[in-house]
Structure formats: C-alpha cells, structure tokens
Amino acid sequence: MSIEIERLDSGVLTLTLAHAPVNAVATELRKVLMRVLLDAEHDEGVKAVVLTGRDGIFCAGADLVEFEQGHAFDAPSFHASVLPFMFGMRKPVVAAINGRAIGGGLELALWCHARVAVPDASIGLPETTLALMPGAGGTQLLPRAVGLERATALIVSGAIEPASSFAGTRLLDAVVEVPRLIEQASRIALEMAAGSQPLPHLGREVVKHSQAQGFLEFAR
C-alpha cells in the first residue's frame, strides 16, 4: 500500500506517504489517500488526521512519469478531488513535514489545516525551473502563508529553502526536531478538533499588502 496507516489511542489517524522513491502524488497514492480521508471523515473514532512521509521525504510533488504518459490527471484528481475534499473536512488534517515538501508536495501541505516541520525540511515550488507553474493552489495559498512579495519571489525563482526560514509565518505552526514532529502535529490536530467549526485554513485568509496591484505590475 502507498500509505501506511496508524490509529493512535488519542483518536489521531497518522497517514505516512510511502510511495517510493519520493512519495509523488501518483494515481495509486491519490486513490488510497482519497479513500482513507473519506473513511476518516465518517469514522467517529477518528478525531483528526496527521499526514507525513516515509524515508525523510514528505512529498516531492507530481509524478513526472505520469505527466509524460498522460495519466497525471487520472481520477481521483489531485486538484479537483483530493485537495478540495481535504479542505472541506470536518476533521483537521495536519501536515507533519519530515523532509522534502516541494511542488505538489508543498501544495498538499498548504491545503492541510495546519503544518509542522523539521528545521531542515526542503520547502519550495520549483515548477518554474521545469517551465511549468504551480497548478494545485500554490500561487494562491503561499501568498496567504508568507506574504505576497516573498511568495512571488519563491514562485518565480523556483527557490527551495529550509523550513527554519519560514518560522513565524503562517506557513508553519511549529518547527520542531524529528523526535517531536508527530507528537506536536497530533497536539495541534487535537486542539483544532476540539475548537469551533469551520476549521482555520489558509484558503480563508486574505492576502495583505498595501500596494498589491502595484507590486504585481512591478513583478510582471
């Protein structure tokens, strides 16, 4: 199975992406993730979900082989099915970023309700270095997480930065060492589960910039 599932006594369901070699969001992984999230949403014994990755990689984004073969958008669609469903869940999903979270992998984390990362996790949207653009909400959610100017610079350059450089932004709720990662993510998830609905989410935030239109014209 492309996802390892562990149910904690606290009511947290831990999902570990395990799709070698880089946990890309291939069709197989999307199918399993969609099914597991759907089950979790309707399982009264599950209070919250923590999403992480195996072998020091959270998720490296799209499966480029599937792009070449024309299967990258096979159902369930990452863009139109998996991510919107996660956004609308009654139960919080918290990303525990244990390593590389780039491209669609970062977008997967951005669509979660909160994010925790280890200091040296690699964060970025490098699609422009492949002559592509982030296509799963990264251009909209990253500015809400780190501000319009920094997000624009990251997207245009395709730069990848350590998670520690995003401490104190809305991108990360906490930066912790590996031994505390799942514990911290679970704690935040349970706190959110005990709070009010709807759950907080970057998609509900507003991009704040005093001269947003002028900056975007300058960037263009």
Side-chain angles (χ1 to χ4, degrees), residues 78-79 83 86 101-112 124-125 127 133-139 141:
F78 188 56
H79 310 67
L83 298 179
M86 190 164 64
I102 60 174
L106 176 56
E107 289 173 311
L108 176 61
L110 288 169
W111 279 92
C112 290
L125 294 173
E127 284 90 339
M133 281 293 289
T139 58
L141 297 178

Side-chain angles (χ1 to χ4, degrees), residues 54-214:
R54 194 174 69 179
D55 300 331
I57 300 174
F58 177 71
C59 177
D63 187 323
L64 297 182
V65 174
E66 286 198 349
F67 265 102
E68 293 175 357
Q69 296 174 343
H71 296 298
F73 299 101
D74 287 359
S77 165
F78 188 56
H79 310 67
S81 300
V82 178
L83 298 179
F85 179 80
M86 190 164 64
F87 170 74
M89 287 179 64
R90 296 177 295 113
K91 300 173 183 179
V93 181
V94 176
I97 303 172
N98 60 316
R100 196 185 322 170
I102 60 174
L106 176 56
E107 289 173 311
L108 176 61
L110 288 169
W111 279 92
C112 290
H113 300 97
R115 289 149 297 281
V116 179
V118 297
D120 61 350
S122 301
I123 303 288
L125 294 173
E127 284 90 339
T128 55
T129 65
L130 300 172
L132 300 170
M133 281 293 289
T139 58
Q140 307 304 306
L141 297 178
L142 192 59
R144 289 164 166 79
V146 302
L148 180 61
E149 295 190 20
R150 187 175 185 185
T152 301
L154 287 167
I155 293 167
V156 171
S157 68
I160 296 174
E161 299 185 8
S164 58
S165 71
F166 297 101
T169 70
R170 289 177 176 173
L171 178 60
L172 298 175
D173 296 79
V175 178
V176 299
E177 298 297 335
V178 172
R180 295 185 52 225
L181 181 66
I182 300 301
E183 173 190 350
Q184 182 74 356
S186 298
R187 184 184 66 78
I188 291 173
L190 290 172
E191 288 177 354
M192 296 177 77
S196 59
Q197 295 284 342
L199 295 167
H201 195 279
L202 287 173
R204 298 188 177 96
E205 300 291 339
V206 175
V207 178
K208 297 179 180 178
H209 192 287
S210 60
Q211 299 292 332
Q213 194 59 43

Side-chain angles (χ1 to χ4, degrees), residues 5-14 36-50 89-92 189-190 193:
I5 304 169
E6 181 182 6
R7 186 191 292 259
L8 305 181
D9 293 339
S10 62
V12 173
L13 192 70
T14 302
V36 174
L37 289 176
L38 184 62
D39 289 345
E41 177 74 342
H42 296 288
D43 186 340
E44 294 304 318
V46 174
K47 297 179 181 178
V49 176
V50 167
M89 287 179 64
R90 296 177 295 113
K91 300 173 183 179
L190 290 172

